[in-house]
Amino acid sequence: MTERRGAALFRDPQTLAIGPSSMRWDGAGLTVEIDEVTPLLPKRVRGRVRLYPEAVVNHPVVLDRDGHHCWWPIAPCARVEVELDQPALRWLGSGYFDFNTGEVPLESSFRNWNWCRASLPEGTAVLYDLVDREGEACSLAIRFDPGSGVTDFEPPAPAALPRTRWRVARATRSDAAGTPRILQTLEDSPFYARSVMETRLLGRSVTAIHESLDLDRFALPVVQAMLPFRMPRRFW
C-alpha cells in the first residue's frame, strides 16, 4: 500500500502493477505479488497471495441514489493461499475479493458505513450499512452461494459494538438470538477500524470480518495530514 506516480503504473487485460507489487489473472486465479516497505518502522513485506474464486459476480451494486459509487464483490467466495517470505508466514483459508469505485470522493457522498463479511458452509454472507450526506440510511444483506447464486435476505436487527481506541463508532446487525462481540481489532485508525467479530447470522454462529469507516473523520484536515505517515508516498 504505497502511493506512487503514474510512471510506476503498468496495466494490461491480465495484469495491474504499481511499482514492484502486482496482480495477475491467469484465467483460473488471481496472483498478488507483494513487495513493499511498512510505514513508521520500515520492514520489508514480500511474498504472494493466490486467490481462486468459487463464485463470481459479474456486475456491480450501486450504493448511492445519484449513482456515483459502486461496490463490486467480484469473488465473494474464494480459496486463498498465502506465502510470505518476509515475514515468513504461510496459511490457507477462505477469502473474498471486491472493490469500490466512484466518480466523486467517498466523503462527498457518505457520512459513514459499517460492513461485515462471514463465511458460511454454503458460501458467504455480507452486510453493508451506509449513511449518506443527507442522513439517509441504506442496508444491504446479501448471500452468495456457489451452488444457487446471489440472493438478498432480510437485514437482521441492528446491534451495537464498542467504540475503538480512537473512538470510532462501530455497529453491525445480528440475529435476535445472538450478541455480537469483537474478538480482535486488526486495524485501528482515527477514521477506520477492521476487526474480527463473533456474531450470529442466518441462524448460525459465525466468525466475521467487520469494518467501520467514518468519513467525517477522514475529511478532517488533521487526519488528511496524517495519511502520508500511514501510507507511504514515493516519487518513483
Side-chain angles (χ1 to χ4, degrees):
M1 296 292 290
T2 302
E3 293 187 348
R4 298 178 185 273
R5 290 186 179 274
L9 171 69
F10 171 79
R11 184 173 67 173
D12 65 20
Q14 287 77 39
T15 305
L16 171 67
I18 301 175
S21 297
S22 65
M23 290 194 244
R24 179 174 50 84
W25 173 254
D26 64 8
L30 181 73
T31 299
V32 183
E33 295 285 349
I34 302 167
D35 188 356
E36 300 288 339
V37 176
T38 63
L40 301 180
L41 299 176
K43 293 182 180 179
R44 179 71 63 178
V45 179
R46 182 183 286 129
R48 66 209 52 82
V49 178
R50 295 187 178 91
L51 181 140
Y52 301 97
E54 297 171 349
V56 175
V57 175
N58 61 9
H59 61 84
V61 177
V62 177
L63 294 178
D64 64 314
R65 55 187 166 186
D66 296 322
H68 290 319
H69 295 275
C70 292
W71 163 60
W72 195 339
I74 296 174
C77 311
R79 177 171 54 88
V80 173
E81 301 172 355
V82 178
E83 301 175 356
L84 295 184
D85 304 317
Q86 292 178 265
L89 294 172
R90 303 283 189 280
W91 73 86
L92 309 173
S94 65
Y96 172 91
F97 180 64
D98 73 349
F99 76 84
N100 289 75
T101 183
E103 298 174 0
V104 299
L106 281 172
E107 63 271 24
S108 298
S109 299
F110 301 106
R111 292 182 180 176
N112 59 68
W113 75 43
N114 286 276
W115 175 93
C116 167
R117 181 255 178 187
S119 291
L120 305 172
E122 65 279 8
T124 295
V126 173
L127 303 176
Y128 217 148
D129 284 281
L130 308 101
V131 178
D132 68 16
R133 277 285 145 213
E134 285 69 45
E136 184 175 329
C138 171
S139 295
L140 305 175
I142 307 175
R143 185 173 182 170
F144 303 92
D145 186 325
S148 61
V150 182
T151 56
D152 296 333
F153 63 97
E154 184 67 25
L161 293 169
R163 289 178 178 264
T164 68
R165 289 179 299 175
W166 282 98
R167 308 302 297 162
V168 172
R170 290 185 283 198
T172 188
R173 292 176 177 271
S174 174
D175 290 357
T179 302
R181 66 187 184 97
I182 298 295
L183 301 178
Q184 183 182 8
T185 299
L186 303 175
E187 185 167 353
D188 187 357
S189 79
F191 64 91
Y192 174 83
R194 179 174 284 258
S195 311
V196 181
M197 178 181 69
E198 182 181 77
T199 187
R200 190 169 180 84
L201 292 175
L202 297 168
R204 56 170 59 90
S205 296
V206 296
T207 300
I209 295 295
H210 178 274
E211 73 173 19
S212 295
L213 177 63
D214 185 329
L215 288 157
D216 288 339
R217 287 270 195 96
F218 176 77
L220 292 174
V222 65
V223 173
Q224 291 293 309
M226 292 179 181
L227 292 180
F229 297 96
R230 190 67 182 87
M231 182 180 288
R233 292 176 180 172
R234 300 284 184 261
F235 297 102
W236 60 87

